[in-house]
Amino acid sequence: MMKQAWFVLAAAITIAAPRSLVSQERGAIADGAAPASVPGERPRVLWIAAHPDDEDTQIITWLSRAGRAETAYLSFNRGDGGQNLIGNELGEQLGIIRTEELLAARRVDGAHQYFTRAYDFGFSKTADETFSHWPKDSLLADVVTVIRAFRPHVIMTTFSGTPRDGHGQHQVSAILAKEAYETAAADTIRFPVSVYGRPWTPLKFYRSAFFSPGEGTLRINVGEYNPNLGKSYQEIAAESRSQHKSQGFGTLQRKGVIWDAIRRDATRVNAATAPKDEHSIFDGLENLVRPAADTIDARIAEPNVAVEAVADRQTVALGDSARVMVTIYNRSPIQITARPTWAGAPAGSIIAIEPDSSYRWTTFVRGTEITQPWWLATPRNGDLFSPPIGPLSEDERDKQGWLGVTVCGSGKSCVGHRAPAVYHFADPVRGDIQRPLVVAPPLSVTLDRQIELARAGVPLDRFFAVTVRSALMSRKPVTVSLSLPSGLVADSAERMVMLDSAGTRTVTFRVRGKLSPGTHNLQAIVKEDGVTSRMGYVPIDYEHITPERQYRDAVVAIKAMDVAVPPKLRVAYIPGVGDNVAPALKQLGIPVTIIEPSDIPAADLSSYTTVVVGPRSYQASRELRDNNQYLLGYARNGGTLVVQYGQYEMTTPGMMPYPITIARPHDRVTDENAPVTVLDPASRALTTPNRITQADYEGWIQERALYMPRTFDPAYRSLLAMNDPGEPQNKGAILVAPYGKGLYVYTTLAFFRELPAGVSGGTRLFVNLLSLKSGSAR
């Protein structure tokens, strides 16, 4: 969950859950020294790469679940700039999802999880371009902080730090990992102990040879079976990797011998041994580290001692307290004692619990800080999150607010357990559900979107839904109102509604008027007994991750733009991946009907002037691929079919009316300010109903185009050419071709980013493409 610390205990006991045994303390190191290890330590391995899902979960699982080493993954960013196969969240919201997916993966493979402050700004082609977004010294300082905190004996990277890595962020992750290994982690002049922690010198440096096994110097059988776990490490790793559902990374669990490979790039301990002659990544560490050993009495570890900490509600208001019932079940054959260890616990409170018995306490927790992703608590500084990362791993940071108790057996063996307070209920379909207790403002208020579009100077008649949520324990009357920009009026100044305890109400206002060109802010406000709230949260909730909330002001920026829309335009829209284009079109007053791929055969497509296929729809939907003949038939019969970018599936014969090729790696223009060359200025796509000028290519976000065709059939007419600096021009941004009686339009421009962000030029150009008719390709 990685949330802010959010409650303090008021009384009673705290107990921990299974799978949360406290990690052992690491060896103490004197300030100013940079030893590589303390004799007898458990080995530690840190994997470093750029994004969620870049790590090699097979080797991580082989290390962690076998007890070979304490293992962690440092992901430079949270995947905010990627795309989303399971919902419409993009940007910071997608970063929340992918962070939680990484933590879900770590719960499977047993490793720790770290991040730097880097925000994923999108695809980049070179390390230099990436460093223009991520200040090198700042990111290196974060890597040093993590290395000094985790103190790995071995560092592994996915990437080489060279152009062969492709993505500039991939290159940077390896470049900084190597610099930290070589000098920075031990450099107390450049990175003082008082700020970045005690210095550390890793001993060995490996990088992955998964995609180039011939370069590997050490092979590992990750298919090794563990009889205690009942699975091979590859099977567990596949489950771990399959947590990255937003990226479509479901992975097969395979049995038998499965080889993975790594390459030794540097060592400080066994340089006399050639890399190819190594037998283990721990060669040379034999006198410095010890094999993992379990010295804990298994009778007092999980599952023999079970703990529940159940709250009386899911949400507690800031400043209020929630009751938590804590139950310890002793399912072991021996008597145990339990001693609470949280701050403020009763001194000397030790409870004896007999075998097959349980004991229950009541405690109260007080909400002291809003529960939210800690890295979003303050605004970003460019492409860096503002809060410092600190020494804790993401999983340990999450556990700082957990309840804790030490459980001892009949001897001297004791185990520390920690567990979160959860709200526990039964879902009729999913069964047992546990939601972490969270702290929220007493009243929260949100609007559906942060950005909406409008046509400047055209009458606006729109409904705005205001969602009000209560974290209070009693029913309250609340007043909801809108603060409107000049030119707009609401159907009522304010509304009063009764809000139930922990309830949610939606209040809808009808707003009318006209707006001049520009950005106009509309704000929602809720008041109760003299207290005013202007902010709230958006729930982010999927079954495979811990639910989260993103807080934001209850403000929508209405982007009023000069955009003409043909009066008879009528659009059928087949949604794509991470696709918020259809709502933007509706905001412009365009009649839009959403059609699911499975409904295409029964739909009367002839009633629409244009059918639009969303980005990556063909990749994501087998039904769309199967029903593509109906869409092509619609175009042949006189309709306009506009298809937004796809990936390599678009090169499949018959997917498009005429063939294209896409290079590997694919051509894309990542510079959102890259110059645009107009190839066919007379085309109606660039003149009607909106005359497109160079000003319309200004202010774009993140990128221009992606998965651009390298070559295409002469039947297509290209309208634009563009390229990133130092690269050849690509003419595959917009391709238009007559097809039968109709028109086929294929565009790789990033309209899925530009329209939801309110980019005027991208919006005007997209409306022109929708407005094309047979015979108007020029």
Side-chain angles (χ1 to χ4, degrees), residues 54 57 59 261 265 304 324 341 346 350 465 478 490 538 550 722 726 754:
D54 281 344
T57 53
I59 291 180
D265 275 2
N304 293 324
V324 177
T341 57
I350 300 177
V478 299
V538 177
Q550 185 198 34
M722 57 190 68
E754 312 311 320

Side-chain angles (χ1 to χ4, degrees), residues 649-660:
E649 72 280 355
M650 303 308 296
T651 64
T652 304
M655 192 68 68
M656 296 173 63
Y658 310 107
I660 64 169

Side-chain angles (χ1 to χ4, degrees), residues 441-445 468-472 478 499 526-528 533 535:
L443 294 175
S444 300
V445 57
V468 184
R469 295 181 174 91
S470 171
L472 300 172
V478 299
L499 193 58
V526 61
K527 296 180 181 179
E528 186 274 322
S533 177
M535 57 92 72

Side-chain angles (χ1 to χ4, degrees), residues 36-44 68-69 151-154 200 203 281-292:
S37 182
V38 172
E41 285 189 299
R42 185 184 180 191
R44 292 184 294 276
R68 293 180 170 94
R151 312 183 85 73
H153 303 93
V154 178
W200 183 254
L203 299 175
I281 64 171
F282 304 115
D283 284 3
L285 305 180
E286 294 87 352
N287 296 326
L288 298 172
V289 299
R290 62 172 173 80

Side-chain angles (χ1 to χ4, degrees), residues 590-610:
I590 299 174
V592 176
T593 300
I594 301 298
I595 296 180
E596 296 299 329
S598 59
D599 296 331
I600 291 174
D604 180 11
L605 299 180
S606 66
S607 63
Y608 302 99
T609 61
T610 309

Side-chain angles (χ1 to χ4, degrees), residues 425-478:
F425 64 96
D427 180 273
V429 176
R430 296 170 57 193
D432 185 280
I433 303 294
Q434 297 187 25
R435 296 294 180 91
L437 176 65
V438 297
V439 181
L443 294 175
S444 300
V445 57
T446 54
L447 290 158
D448 287 345
R449 297 182 180 85
Q450 293 176 282
I451 295 175
E452 291 199 8
L453 309 186
R455 296 170 61 192
V458 174
L460 180 147
D461 188 349
R462 188 171 301 179
F463 292 91
F464 288 89
V466 180
T467 301
V468 184
R469 295 181 174 91
S470 171
L472 300 172
M473 288 298 290
S474 59
R475 195 168 188 251
K476 297 282 186 180
V478 299

